[in-house]
């Protein structure tokens, strides 16, 4: 058993551990220039956020109107309508 563990340990050392901490990615290869922000990205982020909030408010108002309509239908007790 000890011989097998020594052999496995030797194989592991021969291959070596993956050393990904020192690899260089193409996406971080250059320094970011903070003097000139990406205004297109900033505008896209804010406009997307504003559009999503507008859709949220619109859907909420439609849901409230539907809730009120169904509430009035439940309270309507006319025998001539049904």
């Amino acid at each position: 058993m000890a011989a097998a563990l020594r052999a496995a340990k030797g194989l592991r050392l021969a291959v070596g551990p993956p050393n990904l901490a020192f690899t260089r990615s193409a996406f971080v290869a250059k320094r970011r220039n903070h003097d000139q922000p990406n205004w297109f990205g900033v505008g896209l982020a804010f406009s997307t956020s504003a559009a999503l909030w507008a859709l949220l408010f619109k859907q909420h108002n439609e849901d409230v109107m539907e809730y009120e309509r169904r509430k009035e239908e439940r309270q309507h007790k006319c025998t001539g309508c049904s």
Side-chain angles (χ1 to χ4, degrees):
M1 184 69 163
L5 289 175
R6 274 193 301 261
K9 186 177 179 183
L11 288 175
R12 204 173 4 164
L13 288 176
V15 173
N19 196 2
L20 299 177
F22 297 108
T23 59
R24 188 168 178 166
S25 173
F27 297 106
V28 294
K30 63 179 184 174
R31 284 194 156 223
R32 185 172 265 192
N33 186 2
H34 294 290
D35 294 334
Q36 297 174 345
N38 181 5
W39 290 113
F40 177 73
V42 171
L44 187 64
F46 279 116
S47 62
T48 303
S49 178
L52 288 174
W53 275 104
L55 284 172
L56 179 72
F57 281 119
K58 179 180 174 277
Q59 185 64 46
H60 173 72
N61 289 337
E62 289 175 1
D63 290 344
V64 169
M65 288 172 43
E66 181 68 18
Y67 170 76
E68 294 293 332
R69 185 187 66 80
R70 289 184 183 190
K71 189 168 95 173
E72 286 178 8
E73 281 182 4
R74 272 194 317 254
Q75 292 174 354
H76 187 71
K77 301 290 182 192
C78 180
T79 56
C81 295
S82 49

